Amino acid sequence: MATIEEAIREGYVLLEWITSARFERAKDLRLKYQDKPRISFTDFTSMVLMREHDIVEILTEDVHFEHVGMGFQLKP
């Protein structure tokens, strides 16, 4: 069985670090959507990365991605 390190090395998985700039953008989203306290900070960091990479489709049943109005499309 392949390890995560092998998957990264072979290009099957892209590892993205949450830099201080990305953290700040996620924090800005948290502040912007204070009226939606059930959206996790992890979701906000995911949204930051998705916007950077022009990703709009997400494989999830987590409706929070629709609640922010950023055009994310759920693919359950």
Side-chain angles (χ1 to χ4, degrees):
M1 180 178 285
T3 64
I4 190 71
E5 289 85 10
E6 288 175 286
I8 293 168
R9 190 172 44 253
E10 294 176 15
Y12 294 108
V13 172
L14 175 63
L15 182 63
E16 291 281 347
W17 295 99
I18 301 304
T19 62
S20 58
R22 287 173 169 166
F23 182 89
E24 289 300 317
R25 287 195 298 276
K27 189 169 73 172
D28 290 344
L29 287 176
R30 169 73 285 158
L31 294 172
K32 180 178 180 177
Y33 296 103
Q34 290 182 61
D35 63 324
K36 298 176 181 9
R38 297 190 62 110
I39 300 177
S40 71
F41 196 78
T42 300
D43 285 350
F44 286 125
T45 58
S46 296
M47 291 173 197
V48 166
L49 290 171
M50 290 170 67
R51 290 177 83 184
E52 280 183 24
H53 292 283
D54 296 319
I55 298 169
V56 293
E57 296 180 341
I58 180 169
L59 183 61
T60 187
E61 292 182 0
D62 185 343
V63 295
H64 293 136
F65 286 88
E66 292 180 325
H67 291 175
V68 294
M70 291 185 202
F72 299 125
Q73 301 167 11
L74 304 187
K75 300 295 178 181

